[in-house]
Amino acid sequence: MKPLSSLQNLVQALRHLPGIGPKSAQRIAYHLLQHDRDGALELSKALSDAANRVRHCVRCNTFTEDEICDMCRDPERDASLLCVTETPADQMMIEQTLTFRGYYFVLMGSLSPLDGIGPKEIRFDKLIERATDGVVKEVILATSFNNEGEATAHYIGEMLKALGLRVSRLARGVPVGAELEYVDVGTIARAFLDRRLT
Ligand code: ZN
């Protein structure tokens, strides 16, 4: 079989992007090669740099280029509070509310049995280890208010309560079905302050 041409190869590779099918991949490839070679080179460098350098913080599991991320190294935070989010974007949203000064754990996803995402895939083992360091007193579940987020919060909540931790969940006010990242900062701030024990 003839090896793929560079162009075919590029179209194939672009299909790794979420939501990009064959047609869109071809359109992107043509666009970059015809109109934006500099952009294409910049993209290729940024992708390879990020893919080679970015890893997971050993404490909170978020993306970082160091062993421990900046936020986990901040000594001014309240170590008795641990907030669990699904994504780094959700974590940033909560930071922007300026209502929370504890530490975070980022799951990098939510439970979704239909997609084959179970407790192992979202690093519950790492979360348990982090939450049971003897210093954390309350775990705040800030997963999204859609089915996956609720199921994840329930599962984690039960597990951590069984280990003797206080567990709270963001209050409603965040619309049902909402992905946290897309909720306005004020609503999240309110939900944080009104959080309730589960
Ligand atoms: Zn960290």
Side-chain angles (χ1 to χ4, degrees), residues 69-86:
C69 73
D70 288 347
M71 223 179 275
C72 286
R73 272 186 305 199
D74 178 357
E76 304 288 298
R77 289 175 175 266
D78 181 349
S80 70
L81 297 175
L82 185 70
C83 177
V84 177
T85 69
E86 289 175 21

Side-chain angles (χ1 to χ4, degrees), residues 18 20 27 32 36 41 44 64 76-77 84 115 127 129 132 134 166 181 184 187 193 195:
I20 298 295
R27 200 160 38 228
L32 288 172
D36 198 2
L41 290 171
S44 101
T64 175
E76 304 288 298
R77 289 175 175 266
V84 177
D115 303 314
L127 167 60
E129 198 187 313
T132 54
R166 201 147 59 115
E181 187 185 341
D184 68 285
T187 303
L193 295 171
R195 70 182 183 269

Side-chain angles (χ1 to χ4, degrees), residues 86 90 144-146 174-175 177-183:
E86 289 175 21
D90 293 345
S144 293
F145 283 88
N146 52 23
V174 176
E179 290 182 28
L180 222 52
E181 187 185 341
Y182 302 108
V183 177

Side-chain angles (χ1 to χ4, degrees), residues 4 8 21 23 26 30-31 48 62-63 69 71-72 75 81 89 114 160 168 175-176 183 188:
L4 292 179
Q8 287 168 324
K23 279 253 157 60
Q26 201 167 56
Y30 289 170
H31 170 84
S48 91
T62 198
F63 286 136
C69 73
M71 223 179 275
C72 286
L81 297 175
L114 292 178
L160 295 176
S168 60
V176 173
V183 177
I188 293 186

Side-chain angles (χ1 to χ4, degrees), residues 57-62 68-72 104:
C57 172
V58 296
R59 281 179 73 75
C60 74
N61 202 40
T62 198
I68 298 179
C69 73
D70 288 347
M71 223 179 275
C72 286
Y104 291 89

Side-chain angles (χ1 to χ4, degrees), residues 43-61:
L43 176 64
S44 101
K45 183 168 182 323
L47 263 179
S48 91
D49 284 354
N52 283 316
R53 290 182 199 158
V54 175
R55 51 180 171 155
H56 293 281
C57 172
V58 296
R59 281 179 73 75
C60 74
N61 202 40

